Amino acid sequence: MVERSNCSISKVQNKIKLLPPFLLKLSPKDMKSQLSSNDEDECQLSILGYCWWRSAAKFDECVRLKLDLPHIASLTPRLRVLKELERLALIAHEGLNELRYKLQMYRSGDFWVPTGGLKKEEMDIPPVITILLVGFSGSGKSSLVNLMYSVFGRSGLIPFARTSSGGATKYTTMYMEEHNVMRSMQGGFCVYDSRGFNYAKIGDALEELSSWMSDGIHHNQLCLRSGDDVLLEADTETVGLRSASKFVQRTVNIPMVVVNIAEVHKASKASDSKPLEATRELFHSPALRKCNENPILILTHGDLLTTEERIDMRLRLCERLGISETNGVYDIVCLTEYGFLAEESDPVTAYALAEAVYRALLISDRGHSPKKNLQDWALFVLSWLMCFMGALFSFLADLCSKLGQRDR
């Protein structure tokens, strides 16, 4: 673990305001050639690193733009992305603690707004809101869970979810894992880490996803697929010890699609469109539609790309998915290149993560359905009986037809 810097974050932030504007647009690598190499300047570099977009080609034009809301829609997609990133940077320092407090105080249904003339007591609101992370293998779902623990639960660098980084490159999440990222007994939501899908088997992925969304999920739920015999041989004892029957079955309230844009970019450069098309099919799966809203899109591993590649890949992906490049899309990196937690050296990432979860809870509370009353249950039973009788008469008619043919 990298030793944390001794400099005060707030002290460095005040010094950033005194830096010349051209330094704010440089990448951390370029800054090193402009600033001195003492410890305090190195601390400044670690803080300035989160402003990666300020080295973009069009950033000068973004700076010259005035905040004129009626003309925001007329901006180019690239400028809209830059303005969105600047928005996050503007409110990240002051807004993170406020948003974290709202998430800590949140209880299921707090963001529900009275609609349709029904009272809150008449709505079917679960005791805990369930957020499901879905994506392809290596997209960073488990790393995202660890980041949530560090930002929301203030847990430091404790790896609550095992990832495939480092030496365990062949590791894959075999079980559904429920995470209380707030580390609170009163938490109003939980986050589920799921097993990653395969780009080459998108049909099987959509079928499995549909079962999760319709039947529900529970902690330690085993996700078996063809070819898993070898992976389970080393985990035979663990499989027997995991008692899944006692865990509560959760209904998924809101999904988040996690995409490794570095991997998609690499495939696109090699003229391989499979990851991009598979991501589009996953994102537009009917099973993920909740409250007539698109799933929240989380872009990861952007730090492996250059500034221009990172922005271009975001624009290209959003265009292919047919969604806004600024609304419901978040570029999140778990650790900076300096090894610090996002909360300490990258407040933009920490705030973007908090806003993504906050947005998910808002969408979820807007999609609750009314409770079923006696009349609803009576209609359900009656419709079931009618279907059963229809199937029975169909079977009897087919049987009588076959018997009649025999007699002839």
Side-chain angles (χ1 to χ4, degrees), residues 103-123:
L103 294 177
Q104 288 174 342
M105 294 293 102
Y106 173 79
R107 300 297 177 265
S108 180
D110 280 355
F111 300 148
W112 179 79
V113 178
T115 52
L118 295 177
K119 298 179 181 179
K120 188 176 180 179
E121 294 75 19
E122 300 177 68
M123 304 301 293

Side-chain angles (χ1 to χ4, degrees), residues 76-138:
T76 64
R78 178 177 290 270
L79 286 177
R80 286 200 292 269
V81 169
L82 292 175
K83 286 188 71 67
E84 169 65 9
L85 294 171
E86 282 295 298
R87 178 190 72 84
L88 293 174
L90 180 65
I91 60 179
H93 295 285
E94 300 296 331
L96 179 58
N97 287 332
E98 180 182 351
L99 210 50
R100 185 194 284 120
Y101 176 77
K102 289 181 179 180
L103 294 177
Q104 288 174 342
M105 294 293 102
Y106 173 79
R107 300 297 177 265
S108 180
D110 280 355
F111 300 148
W112 179 79
V113 178
T115 52
L118 295 177
K119 298 179 181 179
K120 188 176 180 179
E121 294 75 19
E122 300 177 68
M123 304 301 293
D124 187 12
I125 301 177
V128 175
I129 297 298
T130 302
I131 301 174
L132 174 64
L133 303 181
V134 297
F136 295 94
S137 297

Side-chain angles (χ1 to χ4, degrees), residues 255-270:
M256 286 186 176
V257 178
V258 186
V259 180
N260 183 343
I261 59 172
E263 188 175 47
V264 177
H265 173 76
K266 182 180 178 181
S268 299
K269 285 186 67 176

